[in-house]
Amino acid sequence: MNGMRIFMTLIFSCCCLFSKGQDQLYYVLNADSNRVGVRDEKGTIIIPPIHNVYHDYDLDVPIDDPFIEFMGVVGHEDAEKDSPAFAVSTVYDRKGNILYYPQFFDNGSDYWSEGLRRYVEKGKIGFVNFLGDKISPANWGFALPFNYGYATVYVGKMKKQYDTGGEHWFVVPAEAGVNEYVINRHGVRVDPLQERQDPKDYFYNGAYYPNPFQYNKEELMILKKLRQFEKAITFLFKLNSHQYEFMPLQLEIVEKPNRYFPFYVIGAYEEQRRLDDYEILFDEKSGDFYISQWVSRTELVLLNEGLMSSIEDNLQRGMDYIKPETRKLAEQELLKLKTNGK
């Protein structure tokens, strides 16, 4: 984990909880082994092998995932030329029904951000949650991923505009009158406040929007319990930055347990921008916190051990890399972690 030695690793497949008692599903290839689909344990084809093979599939290991995603778009209309809203993959349920088509991002499918991702339908973008539910219709010409509880959406026609090299593109209005606003996690438009009302109000494009983080009693207790690790978690994300001057990150619950993933997910924000190198997970049953790297959620490390390992590794950097006052603070946090671990 970015130099982190793993003291205790939990290989956890959250989807196994879902697949227990369900029909066993397996990947299957066509006769030429260049297309992949899904069969059940009796050999019945659930998803025809029509998707291109982009990596190796273990045909003998059951599929635990509640949803199955393949690169390639099936049964979906072609995107208009230069439209930034276009799909690159297909998501199925375990019965072979198509659920949605993820939006393109960085040579692949859109990533999950705060438990939501973008999908494409009829040339427009909406949002879907981890359960496969569309939390909003595809109403927008384009939309940015969620950050700090909000997403920016664009009403009207948008287009790709390429840089001078022709390799990279960005999104610009394709017509006059394109309207931009922000939505909340329910897909509802949110208008800016007349003035700031809460220290955690979201500042965007010169205006404030209501603090999106509202908690019940149990959730407040989770964050209170995590507060003792606030400095160490900040070092987990930032101590490897050259000449970093300590400034505590903002920790917020961004996802709650569901039937596929029984953890609270805590995100770290720097000036209201989500840092995605790691996530902090909380298991309500055991009362333990874990670190998950790169949103993999399959290899989890107990929080205390992971923080110690990360700080120890980063403190090996040269004296000219870490500011003296930052190094002293990190050494103090390391000592506290070692004391807590005894």
Side-chain angles (χ1 to χ4, degrees):
M1 296 181 81
N2 195 18
M4 180 182 298
R5 299 189 303 276
I6 299 179
F7 285 83
M8 192 289 288
T9 302
L10 170 65
I11 303 301
F12 180 85
S13 178
C14 61
C15 300
C16 285
L17 299 174
F18 166 78
S19 61
K20 254 182 201 179
Q22 303 296 313
D23 291 337
Q24 297 283 1
L25 300 181
Y26 300 85
Y27 292 112
V28 61
L29 301 178
N30 65 352
D32 296 326
S33 297
N34 61 357
R35 303 275 179 166
V36 63
V38 173
R39 66 171 177 86
D40 66 15
E41 55 192 334
K42 298 177 182 178
T44 303
I45 297 298
I46 305 300
I47 301 173
I50 54 178
H51 292 274
N52 289 327
V53 174
Y54 286 99
H55 59 81
D56 293 333
Y57 291 92
D58 194 328
L59 306 184
D60 298 318
V61 176
I63 301 170
D64 290 328
D65 301 318
F67 307 110
I68 301 164
E69 182 171 344
F70 289 119
M71 293 300 294
V73 178
V74 176
H76 188 265
E77 68 279 355
D78 293 332
E80 291 186 23
K81 183 181 179 181
D82 291 332
S83 172
F86 63 97
V88 293
S89 57
T90 306
V91 175
Y92 298 87
D93 65 18
R94 292 177 65 88
K95 295 181 179 180
N97 301 309
I98 295 175
L99 295 179
Y100 64 92
Y101 302 94
Q103 160 70 8
F104 166 85
F105 180 81
D106 195 20
N107 295 323
S109 300
D110 197 33
Y111 62 97
W112 293 97
S113 181
E114 301 184 0
L116 301 169
R117 76 194 301 201
R118 296 169 291 180
Y119 74 92
V120 179
E121 192 174 285
K122 296 182 179 179
K124 293 187 177 182
I125 288 180
F127 287 91
V128 62
N129 65 20
F130 191 69
L131 303 179
D133 302 321
K134 295 176 180 178
I135 65 113
S136 70
N139 287 333
W140 302 293
F142 193 67
L144 300 179
F146 268 82
N147 174 71
Y148 207 82
Y150 292 105
T152 302
V153 298
Y154 300 86
V155 178
K157 191 172 183 179
M158 305 291 285
K159 67 178 182 179
K160 295 183 287 185
Q161 183 165 307
Y162 289 85
D163 59 19
T164 53
E167 180 179 358
H168 302 287
W169 53 268
F170 50 96
V171 181
V172 298
E175 59 188 10
V178 170
N179 188 21
E180 169 189 347
Y181 57 86
V182 301
I183 60 171
N184 61 21
R185 292 178 55 84
H186 303 292
V188 177
R189 176 174 179 167
V190 179
D191 293 323
L193 300 167
Q194 292 186 349
E195 59 183 21
R196 189 178 188 182
Q197 298 178 354
D198 187 292
K200 290 185 179 181
D201 284 346
Y202 181 46
F203 186 71
Y204 178 74
N205 272 1
Y208 285 100
Y209 295 83
N211 171 16
F213 305 112
Q214 306 297 324
Y215 303 117
N216 59 34
K217 183 179 178 180
E218 290 75 18
E219 292 161 354
L220 288 172
M221 289 301 296
I222 294 171
L223 293 175
K224 182 178 179 181
K225 184 178 179 181
L226 189 64
R227 200 167 298 142
Q228 63 181 307
F229 299 102
E230 182 182 64
K231 291 181 181 178
I233 291 173
T234 297
F235 287 133
L236 170 71
F237 285 89
K238 301 297 295 184
L239 193 56
N240 63 352
S241 300
H242 183 255
Q243 290 291 293
Y244 169 66
E245 184 173 346
F246 179 78
M247 181 65 69
L249 298 177
Q250 180 180 342
L251 305 177
E252 303 289 351
I253 295 173
V254 295
E255 296 179 47
K256 300 179 183 182
N258 60 60
R259 63 181 180 272
Y260 303 140
F261 193 70
F263 293 96
Y264 285 90
V265 180
I266 295 97
Y269 293 86
E270 183 178 38
E271 296 181 346
Q272 299 189 332
R273 174 59 56 182
R274 174 83 180 271
L275 303 180
D276 57 7
D277 288 352
Y278 305 97
E279 292 180 321
I280 308 301
L281 307 180
F282 177 70
D283 183 354
E284 194 172 22
K285 289 185 178 180
S286 68
D288 291 325
F289 288 99
Y290 297 92
I291 299 173
S292 169
Q293 186 182 29
W294 307 117
V295 201
S296 65
R297 297 184 176 180
T298 54
E299 190 175 84
L300 310 183
V301 184
L302 278 170
L303 181 63
N304 201 78
E305 284 83 350
L307 293 175
M308 283 194 297
S309 178
S310 176
I311 294 175
E312 284 179 334
D313 287 343
N314 279 300
L315 285 176
Q316 296 178 20
R317 298 177 184 273
M319 299 300 293
D320 60 336
Y321 193 92
I322 301 176
K323 287 187 173 185
E325 57 272 26
T326 302
R327 180 179 293 275
K328 182 178 179 180
L329 191 57
E331 290 171 344
Q332 292 171 350
E333 283 304 300
L334 180 59
L335 181 59
K336 284 171 55 179
L337 291 168
K338 288 181 175 180
T339 302
N340 289 340
K342 291 182 179 179

